[in-house]
Amino acid sequence: MRRYNVGDTVEHGQTGDCGTVREVKTSWKRQASGNTSEVRKFVVDWDNGPQGQLCGVRTFAR
């Protein structure tokens, strides 16, 4: 799974609209197994849609 960063271009899976990642919010979550997961939330400014939309959450195991 790709790790998006600020300034990256993303495509909306349903509408096909493109946008630019404005902000990436990273947090850490401890799982029951004792492993830690990195949780990244993306704020996107869409070309033909809402600005500043929280568009998705990606979780990466650590």
Side-chain angles (χ1 to χ4, degrees):
M1 196 175 292
R2 182 166 173 210
R3 290 176 185 252
Y4 292 108
N5 294 303
V6 174
D8 285 352
T9 299
V10 294
E11 184 176 346
H12 194 289
Q14 295 174 330
T15 65
D17 191 15
C18 289
T20 303
V21 176
R22 178 203 303 180
E23 184 180 355
V24 178
K25 300 177 182 184
T26 304
S27 61
W28 301 93
K29 179 188 284 184
R30 182 168 299 278
Q31 299 176 334
S33 65
N35 293 333
T36 303
S37 292
E38 177 183 3
V39 180
R40 293 166 62 98
K41 300 178 182 177
F42 304 94
V43 177
V44 176
D45 292 328
W46 296 105
D47 295 344
N48 299 307
Q51 302 294 294
Q53 181 183 32
L54 181 63
C55 74
V57 176
R58 302 279 191 266
T59 302
F60 300 93
R62 286 282 186 198

XYZ file of all heavy atoms in Angstrom:
488
model
N 0.832 -1.167 0.000
C 0.000 0.000 0.000
C 0.888 1.246 0.000
O 1.867 1.298 0.723
C -0.888 -0.009 1.252
C -2.035 0.941 1.166
S -3.163 0.808 2.583
C -3.851 -0.793 2.302
N 0.555 2.200 -0.806
C 1.404 3.382 -0.953
C 1.269 4.323 0.235
O 0.187 4.524 0.762
C 0.996 4.123 -2.224
C 1.858 5.332 -2.458
C 1.714 5.898 -3.833
N 2.460 7.136 -3.867
C 2.159 8.165 -4.617
N 1.146 8.091 -5.436
N 2.868 9.252 -4.569
N 2.374 4.902 0.644
C 2.371 5.905 1.714
C 2.323 7.283 1.059
O 3.326 7.747 0.511
C 3.634 5.798 2.554
C 3.701 4.572 3.407
C 5.040 4.530 4.127
N 5.179 3.297 4.866
C 5.128 3.228 6.188
N 4.959 4.307 6.897
N 5.244 2.075 6.789
N 1.175 7.920 1.130
C 1.053 9.255 0.545
C 1.682 10.287 1.460
O 1.637 10.169 2.680
C -0.422 9.608 0.310
C -1.064 8.789 -0.761
C -1.999 7.814 -0.456
C -0.719 8.979 -2.099
C -2.586 7.042 -1.453
C -1.295 8.217 -3.089
C -2.228 7.249 -2.762
O -2.794 6.490 -3.745
N 2.269 11.311 0.860
C 2.883 12.407 1.588
C 2.281 13.728 1.115
O 1.604 13.777 0.086
C 4.400 12.413 1.366
C 5.055 11.184 1.961
O 4.932 10.919 3.143
N 5.728 10.405 1.127
N 2.556 14.797 1.852
C 2.058 16.122 1.493
C 2.542 16.480 0.087
O 3.710 16.285 -0.250
C 2.544 17.170 2.513
C 2.165 18.577 2.074
C 1.941 16.872 3.879
N 1.611 16.960 -0.745
C 1.939 17.358 -2.116
C 1.703 16.266 -3.142
O 1.727 16.540 -4.337
N 1.472 15.025 -2.701
C 1.206 13.932 -3.635
C -0.173 14.088 -4.271
O -1.100 14.611 -3.655
C 1.258 12.577 -2.929
C 2.669 12.116 -2.616
O 3.626 12.768 -3.087
O 2.813 11.116 -1.892
N -0.306 13.614 -5.494
C -1.595 13.605 -6.185
C -2.286 12.278 -5.921
O -1.668 11.224 -6.012
C -1.389 13.797 -7.704
O -0.759 15.056 -7.925
C -2.726 13.768 -8.437
N -3.567 12.357 -5.572
C -4.361 11.155 -5.321
C -5.571 11.167 -6.248
O -5.997 12.220 -6.720
C -4.824 11.069 -3.848
C -3.646 10.895 -2.935
C -5.640 12.279 -3.448
N -6.105 9.985 -6.528
C -7.302 9.869 -7.363
C -8.416 9.239 -6.535
O -8.203 8.256 -5.836
C -7.025 9.010 -8.586
C -8.211 8.924 -9.536
C -7.894 8.150 -10.815
O -6.712 7.912 -11.083
O -8.846 7.790 -11.516
N -9.604 9.838 -6.636
C -10.763 9.322 -5.907
C -11.228 8.030 -6.565
O -11.433 7.983 -7.769
C -11.885 10.361 -5.917
C -12.974 10.086 -4.931
N -13.872 9.068 -5.082
C -13.281 10.700 -3.759
C -14.707 9.073 -4.055
N -14.368 10.049 -3.233
N -11.388 6.978 -5.773
C -11.728 5.664 -6.309
C -13.098 5.577 -6.959
O -13.311 4.752 -7.835
N -14.053 6.439 -6.555
C -15.404 6.361 -7.094
C -15.662 7.400 -8.175
O -16.271 7.103 -9.188
C -16.428 6.501 -5.963
C -16.360 5.335 -4.984
C -17.273 5.546 -3.785
O -17.532 6.661 -3.369
N -17.754 4.455 -3.223
N -15.207 8.636 -7.951
C -15.523 9.707 -8.900
C -14.457 9.892 -9.971
O -14.722 10.483 -11.006
C -15.700 11.052 -8.166
O -14.440 11.433 -7.581
C -16.759 10.957 -7.089
N -13.229 9.418 -9.705
C -12.138 9.620 -10.648
C -11.509 10.999 -10.540
O -10.571 11.320 -11.261
N -12.025 11.848 -9.643
C -11.478 13.183 -9.444
C -10.076 13.071 -8.848
O -9.767 12.135 -8.121
C -12.390 13.969 -8.496
C -12.041 15.460 -8.433
O -11.304 15.929 -9.309
O -12.523 16.138 -7.505
N -9.227 14.023 -9.178
C -7.879 14.058 -8.623
C -7.779 15.178 -7.597
O -8.519 16.153 -7.649
C -6.845 14.283 -9.722
S -6.647 12.856 -10.796
N -6.847 15.010 -6.679
C -6.639 16.022 -5.657
C -5.217 15.965 -5.154
O -4.427 15.120 -5.550
N -4.902 16.921 -4.278
C -3.566 17.029 -3.722
C -3.640 16.858 -2.209
O -4.495 17.457 -1.559
C -2.956 18.411 -4.042
O -2.969 18.592 -5.462
C -1.531 18.518 -3.545
N -2.725 16.049 -1.670
C -2.673 15.845 -0.227
C -2.164 17.131 0.425
O -1.076 17.598 0.124
C -1.756 14.653 0.141
C -1.642 14.507 1.653
C -2.274 13.372 -0.485
N -2.996 17.708 1.295
C -2.628 18.941 1.995
C -1.927 18.643 3.314
O -1.031 19.367 3.735
C -3.873 19.770 2.284
C -3.566 21.044 3.054
C -4.712 21.614 3.825
N -5.878 21.897 3.030
C -6.986 22.400 3.553
N -7.068 22.654 4.826
N -8.034 22.616 2.784
N -2.364 17.571 3.981
C -1.867 17.280 5.321
C -1.924 15.782 5.558
O -2.829 15.111 5.073
C -2.755 18.013 6.331
C -2.338 17.900 7.759
C -3.282 18.668 8.687
O -4.201 19.363 8.223
O -3.092 18.521 9.898
N -0.941 15.266 6.277
C -0.936 13.867 6.697
C -0.853 13.863 8.217
O 0.044 14.463 8.796
C 0.266 13.092 6.110
C 0.265 11.660 6.611
C 0.229 13.118 4.593
N -1.832 13.215 8.850
C -1.852 13.119 10.307
C -1.449 11.697 10.681
O -2.100 10.750 10.275
C -3.244 13.430 10.839
C -3.723 14.820 10.488
C -5.137 15.053 10.967
C -5.612 16.439 10.571
N -6.954 16.738 11.095
N -0.380 11.566 11.438
C 0.129 10.248 11.813
C -0.062 10.011 13.303
O 0.220 10.888 14.109
C 1.626 10.129 11.469
O 1.806 10.401 10.080
C 2.155 8.753 11.768
N -0.557 8.842 13.636
C -0.665 8.446 15.036
C -0.261 6.980 15.148
O -0.075 6.293 14.149
C -2.087 8.673 15.561
O -3.013 7.905 14.829
N -0.137 6.519 16.376
C 0.298 5.145 16.617
C -0.740 4.441 17.469
O -1.296 5.022 18.391
C 1.656 5.131 17.324
C 2.693 5.833 16.530
C 3.058 7.146 16.628
C 3.467 5.297 15.474
N 4.025 7.448 15.706
C 4.295 6.329 14.975
C 3.553 4.045 14.880
C 5.184 6.134 13.934
C 4.448 3.856 13.843
C 5.249 4.897 13.390
N -1.018 3.182 17.154
C -2.013 2.406 17.885
C -1.405 1.064 18.269
O -0.869 0.363 17.424
C -3.239 2.184 16.996
C -4.331 1.367 17.661
C -5.420 1.006 16.684
C -6.317 2.185 16.393
N -7.452 1.815 15.519
N -1.505 0.730 19.558
C -1.000 -0.559 20.027
C -2.112 -1.593 19.883
O -3.232 -1.386 20.304
C -0.543 -0.490 21.477
C 0.035 -1.810 21.964
C 0.750 -1.697 23.271
N 1.887 -0.803 23.232
C 3.103 -1.133 22.786
N 3.315 -2.337 22.310
N 4.084 -0.272 22.802
N -1.789 -2.705 19.252
C -2.761 -3.775 19.036
C -2.720 -4.774 20.188
O -1.773 -4.791 20.972
C -2.468 -4.480 17.709
C -2.556 -3.556 16.519
C -2.171 -4.259 15.233
O -1.430 -5.224 15.237
N -2.688 -3.756 14.131
N -3.743 -5.611 20.274
C -3.822 -6.621 21.337
C -2.638 -7.575 21.293
O -2.202 -8.097 22.323
C -5.128 -7.395 21.214
N -2.086 -7.795 20.108
C -0.950 -8.710 19.955
C 0.348 -8.127 20.505
O 1.349 -8.811 20.605
C -0.761 -9.039 18.473
O -0.405 -7.864 17.756
N 0.314 -6.824 20.830
C 1.523 -6.169 21.322
C 2.255 -5.405 20.233
O 3.158 -4.626 20.511
N 1.884 -5.633 18.978
C 2.494 -4.893 17.876
C 1.943 -3.476 17.833
O 0.866 -3.197 18.345
C 2.211 -5.578 16.535
C 2.899 -6.917 16.436
O 3.925 -7.141 17.058
N 2.336 -7.809 15.649
N 2.680 -2.593 17.184
C 2.246 -1.213 17.032
C 1.945 -0.959 15.560
O 2.690 -1.386 14.686
C 3.341 -0.247 17.515
O 3.645 -0.554 18.874
C 2.890 1.194 17.421
N 0.839 -0.264 15.295
C 0.473 0.096 13.928
C 0.559 1.601 13.754
O 0.217 2.367 14.656
C -0.953 -0.355 13.606
O -1.026 -1.746 13.571
N 1.037 2.012 12.593
C 1.074 3.426 12.226
C -0.228 3.730 11.490
O -0.573 3.052 10.526
C 2.272 3.690 11.315
C 2.358 5.112 10.827
C 3.514 5.320 9.864
O 4.214 4.345 9.530
O 3.692 6.458 9.427
N -0.952 4.723 11.946
C -2.218 5.111 11.330
C -2.028 6.487 10.693
O -1.686 7.458 11.372
C -3.359 5.162 12.381
C -4.667 5.565 11.717
C -3.498 3.821 13.077
N -2.231 6.564 9.369
C -2.037 7.828 8.652
C -3.365 8.269 8.046
O -3.976 7.537 7.283
C -0.987 7.653 7.556
C 0.395 7.386 8.125
C 1.371 6.885 7.086
N 1.621 7.812 6.020
C 2.669 8.632 5.966
N 3.539 8.638 6.934
N 2.830 9.440 4.948
N -3.806 9.483 8.398
C -5.032 10.066 7.857
C -4.634 11.176 6.892
O -3.701 11.919 7.150
C -5.902 10.634 8.989
C -6.320 9.601 10.011
C -7.126 10.229 11.122
C -7.488 9.193 12.173
N -8.221 9.788 13.297
N -5.378 11.276 5.781
C -5.017 12.213 4.728
C -6.080 13.280 4.551
O -7.254 12.959 4.434
C -4.854 11.467 3.399
C -3.849 10.355 3.481
C -4.256 9.062 3.755
C -2.512 10.605 3.322
C -3.338 8.037 3.862
C -1.581 9.583 3.426
C -1.995 8.300 3.699
N -5.648 14.537 4.516
C -6.538 15.647 4.212
C -6.245 16.057 2.774
O -5.101 16.360 2.420
C -6.309 16.830 5.170
C -7.200 18.004 4.803
C -6.571 16.395 6.603
N -7.296 16.038 1.919
C -7.105 16.251 0.480
C -7.902 17.464 -0.003
O -9.046 17.671 0.403
C -7.540 14.997 -0.313
C -7.450 15.245 -1.815
C -6.684 13.806 0.067
N -7.288 18.254 -0.880
C -7.979 19.322 -1.616
C -8.278 18.766 -3.003
O -7.358 18.556 -3.810
C -7.100 20.569 -1.732
C -6.869 21.244 -0.384
O -7.766 21.183 0.482
O -5.794 21.839 -0.204
N -9.566 18.496 -3.293
C -9.957 17.926 -4.575
C -10.048 19.005 -5.638
O -10.465 20.127 -5.373
C -11.310 17.205 -4.451
C -11.228 16.031 -3.531
C -11.703 15.952 -2.265
C -10.593 14.775 -3.804
N -11.409 14.722 -1.724
C -10.735 13.980 -2.635
C -9.926 14.246 -4.900
C -10.229 12.684 -2.555
C -9.431 12.959 -4.817
C -9.586 12.194 -3.658
N -9.677 18.662 -6.889
C -9.733 19.610 -8.005
C -11.165 20.037 -8.294
O -11.432 21.200 -8.560
C -9.119 18.988 -9.273
C -7.630 18.720 -9.117
O -7.016 19.278 -8.175
O -7.083 17.949 -9.923
N -12.100 19.080 -8.273
C -13.490 19.364 -8.615
C -14.441 19.024 -7.480
O -15.589 18.661 -7.701
C -13.901 18.565 -9.866
C -13.056 18.949 -11.060
O -12.947 20.106 -11.401
N -12.429 17.965 -11.673
N -13.968 19.112 -6.251
C -14.799 18.740 -5.119
C -14.402 19.499 -3.874
O -13.811 20.573 -3.947
N -14.728 18.924 -2.708
C -14.476 19.614 -1.444
C -12.996 19.853 -1.182
O -12.144 19.076 -1.609
C -15.066 18.686 -0.397
C -15.543 17.467 -1.088
C -15.353 17.633 -2.548
N -12.723 20.933 -0.472
C -11.356 21.249 -0.060
C -11.198 20.845 1.401
O -12.099 21.030 2.214
C -11.092 22.751 -0.204
C -11.312 23.282 -1.614
C -10.307 22.693 -2.591
O -9.119 22.946 -2.489
N -10.789 21.915 -3.532
N -10.059 20.262 1.742
C -9.791 19.904 3.127
C -10.572 18.707 3.612
O -10.894 18.605 4.788
N -10.873 17.762 2.718
C -11.653 16.581 3.087
C -10.741 15.492 3.643
O -9.729 15.153 3.042
C -12.412 16.045 1.873
C -13.263 14.837 2.200
C -13.953 14.266 0.977
O -13.426 14.327 -0.113
N -15.132 13.728 1.177
N -11.118 14.940 4.810
C -10.420 13.770 5.336
C -10.846 12.590 4.488
O -11.984 12.175 4.526
C -10.784 13.542 6.802
C -10.099 12.366 7.485
C -8.595 12.582 7.530
C -10.654 12.149 8.872
N -9.915 12.087 3.659
C -10.333 11.165 2.616
C -10.053 9.704 2.920
O -10.590 8.834 2.264
C -9.700 11.527 1.285
S -7.961 11.108 1.195
N -9.209 9.423 3.875
C -8.939 8.013 4.103
C -7.945 7.782 5.205
O -7.241 8.664 5.620
N -7.926 6.564 5.652
C -7.002 6.163 6.713
C -6.262 4.937 6.225
O -6.838 3.990 5.726
C -7.774 5.839 8.013
C -6.823 5.331 9.072
C -8.530 7.066 8.509
N -4.952 4.952 6.347
C -4.136 3.811 5.977
C -3.405 3.350 7.245
O -2.892 4.163 7.993
C -3.088 4.185 4.929
C -3.666 4.752 3.652
C -4.155 3.648 2.744
N -4.475 4.151 1.426
C -5.666 4.540 1.030
N -6.668 4.519 1.868
N -5.882 4.954 -0.180
N -3.366 2.073 7.456
C -2.692 1.529 8.635
C -1.537 0.645 8.182
O -1.707 -0.208 7.312
C -3.667 0.717 9.496
O -4.746 1.549 9.879
C -2.988 0.195 10.747
N -0.375 0.850 8.780
C 0.810 0.065 8.465
C 1.287 -0.622 9.739
O 1.438 0.019 10.771
C 1.933 0.978 7.947
C 1.569 1.723 6.703
C 1.034 2.987 6.769
C 1.752 1.147 5.451
C 0.689 3.687 5.618
C 1.403 1.837 4.299
C 0.881 3.105 4.387
N 1.507 -1.915 9.679
C 2.000 -2.658 10.845
C 3.466 -2.329 11.076
O 4.218 -2.131 10.123
C 1.818 -4.151 10.626
N 3.839 -2.285 12.321
C 5.242 -2.037 12.688
C 5.801 -3.225 13.424
O 5.173 -3.801 14.246
C 5.343 -0.804 13.596
C 5.141 0.470 12.854
C 6.392 0.795 12.139
N 6.250 2.127 11.528
C 7.000 2.565 10.578
N 7.949 1.812 10.092
N 6.850 3.742 10.070
